[in-house]
Amino acid sequence: NAGVTQTPKFQVLKTGQSMTLQCAQDMNHEYMSWYRQDPGMGLRLIHYSVGAGITDQGEVPNGYNVSRSTTEDFPLRLLSAAPSQTSVYFCASSPFWGPGTEAFFGQGTRLTVV
Amino acid sequence: AQKVTQAQTEISVVEKEDVTLDCVYETRDTTYYLFWYKQPPSGELVFLIRRNSFDEQNEISGRYSWNFQKSTSSFNFTITASQVVDSAVYFCALSPYNAGNMLTFGGGTRLMVKP
């Protein structure tokens, strides 16, 4: 039962570097999303996808890109990392786009930008 | 816009004490869902409960209970006879009906249960 798998678990980047955070789910869920967690602010939605080929912005999308070419994968790209992007990133999936649907979260990726 | 406030950033109790985690929310929507998630030290978020705005019945699940009061826009979570394994960060979250799966989280409450 893999569920939602995120890689890597930890990453240190230099300012200006780019990288991709990987997220894969094996539950055939339609809906996937990325959140960032910062102290005292809870989790904030970055981008989401309601199905393969469809993505949209959340509350804090600046500096991040996403794509959804398959149902299983939803990578998050940092184009030019900044110290303000130091955070813990969570990927989540739900069976479908619909109100009140339970979200299943990955274990998170702790990113530090120096 | 939605807002969820968890005023208690940290709570420390001794094992077997009861503890209540507060959650207050703001939304203009008349239909919405409220959630509680637990984040243990291992880091992943674990779903605890979902409640829709039309259902104000309190819920009890073992040592856990939830008190939803629409009149005060609150959805509080009580752990009875706390245990060390309850130590975690707890998040309250809100999702308006027309926002699908999009969650607005509170800042979280770190609960420390000491033996």
Side-chain angles (χ1 to χ4, degrees):
Chain A
N1 287 352
V4 180
T5 302
Q6 292 183 234
T7 55
K9 287 190 169 46
F10 301 93
Q11 183 71 48
V12 179
L13 284 181
K14 293 183 179 176
T15 298
Q17 284 185 319
S18 63
M19 81 158 294
T20 300
L21 308 186
Q22 302 291 346
C23 175
Q25 51 91 9
D26 61 358
M27 299 174 283
N28 201 32
H29 284 178
E30 290 183 0
Y31 180 84
M32 296 185 75
S33 55
W34 278 101
Y35 289 84
R36 60 176 287 172
Q37 181 183 9
D38 301 294
M41 303 184 74
L43 283 76
R44 291 178 293 167
L45 182 64
I46 304 172
H47 284 286
Y48 65 95
S49 168
V50 300
I54 307 169
T55 64
D56 207 344
Q57 297 180 351
E59 181 186 354
V60 288
N62 292 343
Y64 308 95
N65 273 359
V66 292
S67 60
R68 184 105 177 264
S69 55
T70 67
T71 299
E72 295 78 19
D73 300 300
F74 190 44
L76 178 72
R77 295 183 197 83
L78 282 71
L79 305 175
S80 177
S84 61
Q85 294 179 304
T86 293
S87 187
V88 181
Y89 291 85
F90 286 95
C91 179
S93 73
S94 299
F96 49 83
W97 168 258
T101 312
E102 178 185 343
F104 295 80
F105 285 84
Q107 291 206 308
T109 295
R110 185 175 293 274
L111 175 68
T112 302
V113 183
V114 298
Chain B
Q2 285 68 237
K3 186 177 180 182
V4 177
T5 301
Q6 295 178 254
Q8 307 148 308
T9 53
E10 271 194 22
I11 301 175
S12 181
V13 300
V14 176
E15 208 170 17
K16 297 185 184 173
E17 282 185 26
D18 299 346
V19 58
T20 296
L21 310 183
D22 297 332
C23 172
V24 174
Y25 62 91
E26 298 173 29
T27 180
R28 291 194 200 123
D29 295 87
T30 56
T31 307
Y32 49 88
Y33 286 84
L34 294 162
F35 300 79
W36 276 94
Y37 282 86
K38 174 182 180 179
Q39 185 180 39
S42 53
E44 79 283 8
L45 275 82
V46 177
F47 168 84
L48 294 178
I49 191 171
R50 167 186 49 232
R51 172 67 72 226
N52 77 51
S53 53
F54 291 117
D55 183 2
E56 288 196 67
Q57 274 192 322
N58 289 336
E59 174 113 1
I60 298 174
S61 176
R63 297 184 297 107
Y64 294 173
S65 62
W66 291 269
N67 183 342
F68 174 34
Q69 291 198 338
K70 214 167 175 179
S71 60
T72 57
S73 298
S74 64
F75 186 43
N76 296 338
F77 173 30
T78 297
I79 302 174
T80 302
S82 59
Q83 299 177 1
V84 173
V85 294
D86 296 326
S87 297
V89 180
Y90 292 86
F91 290 98
C92 181
L94 168 73
S95 179
Y97 188 87
N98 61 2
N101 310 61
M102 296 164 68
L103 295 164
T104 297
F105 283 86
T109 297
R110 180 178 300 276
L111 174 65
M112 292 173 286
V113 182
K114 299 177 182 175

